[in-house]
Amino acid sequence: MKLALLASFLFAALDSALAHGDDPVAERQEQLERRRFLEIHPNNLDHCADKFKRDGTLEEAARRRYKRAASLMASSALHAAVQARQTSSLGKSHKSDKAYTPQTDPATIFAGSNSCILSPQATEGPFYVLGESIRSDILDGQVGVPLHIDFQIYDVNTCKPIKGTYFEMWNANGTGVYSGALSVVNGLSGMSDKANLDRTYLRGSQLSDDNGVVQFDTIFPGHYDGRAPHIHVMSHIPSAKAEANNTLWHNKATYAGQIFFDQTLVDSVKAVAPYSTNRQNLLKNNADAILLAEAQTSDPFFNYVLLGGTDLSKGVFAWYSVGINQTFTRDIMAAAMRYKEGGKMNTANPKIPGLDAIFPGGFPTAYQPGYGG
Ligand SMILES: *[C@@H]1O[C@H](CO)[C@@H](O)[C@H](O)[C@H]1NC(C)=O
Ligand SMILES: *[C@@H]1O[C@H](CO)[C@@H](O)[C@H](O)[C@H]1NC(C)=O
Ligand SMILES: *[C@@H]1O[C@H](CO)[C@@H](O)[C@H](O)[C@H]1NC(C)=O
């Protein structure tokens, strides 16, 4: 013990000497002080040892180091677990071999998937439009690989379905363009396609039924620069009510996230028209930062079946369970609003230098990364 203390004392002295190594005057001064200190405190180390023992300093240090080591080990174990989960949800196939169709009873579809896992929150992105219709068929004539989606939403605190709550979704079309909003990076037409403000395709919300289920008919999302294909979703606060004209004007959510597709499915969709004509770049799942962040705490991929086997024109049926913490709410930023007289960009959002020119409707920064796990 004495030896150990002596050694650590010497190392401390060495450290401070080395700290002044390039300054001979300071170094000499330091050595003088050190010598004077040792002259006045001849029994210094023994004295310290006794004091340390009395105060429990050594035990405390030992405990502290042990805890630190344990936490480092735990976090590296956690890291390994996260990595393993990431690889498994990224590499894992979500294709089902069961013969589900869009008409399959939700109880069958979601059997076994109702473990209470909080779904990962993610940014709503810069393309949310306020005031879209309540409807199940959100196609508005868009063509692509038909995608029929069942979402089931449930409360993670009770593990029960959330009934009677609006669940909204939006996705890009076959060539990677969002309707209803303008942005320099919204497709290759950018800001020039002003008529896009009046389009409402691939957007809508539904009221959840007694099983907490909502269904949508859309098309498989097209890819666009910088992102892997995904579907945006948001669950409204339970008190959100529809307007008389069957639209929703609420931007308070208990949950907003993005759900992805297996890379193999993305690749096969990309090979068929109109996806094959899309001149934007396809980002792979394993390079999408939002996907990777979500995958750290959950499995953000749709389960699916191909309705016509390799004939993608018959479409895809996909499903996903969303675990929601209803005591949490967040404001969703609307890039634009859809009025009776047409769409308007939202000019009230805070301007972010450098991004305001690209996203005139604002760019959301308020979501809490990592929230939900
Ligand atoms: C996607 O929408 C844009 C306008 O918003 C349109 O120009 C483009 O043709 C659409 N893509 C397909 C495949 O219809
Ligand atoms: C649910 O949200 C509340 C409010 O943000 C938070 O205090 C609580 O920890 C959350 N519960 C879970 C399970 O994350
Ligand atoms: C729907 O009603 C709201 C007011 O409740 C109005 O602001 C909006 O313009 C209407 N939207 C459409 C598409 O008619």
Side-chain angles (χ1 to χ4, degrees), residues 2 27 48 203 242 244 266 313 331 341 349 351:
K2 241 180 177 172
E27 195 176 343
C48 287
R203 297 178 177 277
V266 170
S313 69
D331 289 335
E341 54 281 6
N349 288 321
K351 298 282 170 275

Side-chain angles (χ1 to χ4, degrees), residues 95-105 108-109 304-309 317-319:
K95 185 175 174 184
S96 173
D97 48 13
K98 298 209 179 79
Y100 294 134
T101 72
Q103 286 73 44
T104 307
D105 180 2
T108 311
I109 297 166
Y304 70 98
V305 288
L306 298 177
L307 295 171
F317 175 49
W319 61 96

Side-chain angles (χ1 to χ4, degrees), residues 274-287:
Y275 306 90
S276 54
T277 69
N278 189 349
R279 288 183 293 119
Q280 301 191 70
N281 294 312
L282 171 67
L283 189 75
K284 294 272 185 193
N285 281 341
N286 63 11

Side-chain angles (χ1 to χ4, degrees), residues 67-79:
K67 250 173 86 175
R68 174 86 181 122
S71 84
L72 285 171
M73 276 161 66
S75 72
S76 69
L78 186 70
H79 193 67

Side-chain angles (χ1 to χ4, degrees), residues 131 133 243-247 249 338-341:
S133 293
E243 302 298 317
N245 60 12
N246 202 43
T247 62
W249 281 81
R338 178 196 166 212
Y339 294 105
K340 191 174 179 185
E341 54 281 6

Side-chain angles (χ1 to χ4, degrees), residues 147 149 151 169-171 221 230-233 257-259 261 302:
L147 178 64
I149 309 179
F151 289 108
M169 66 156 283
W170 62 104
N171 69 265
H230 57 274
I231 302 266
H232 287 271
V233 291
Q258 302 181 18
I259 321 293
F261 301 88
F302 281 105

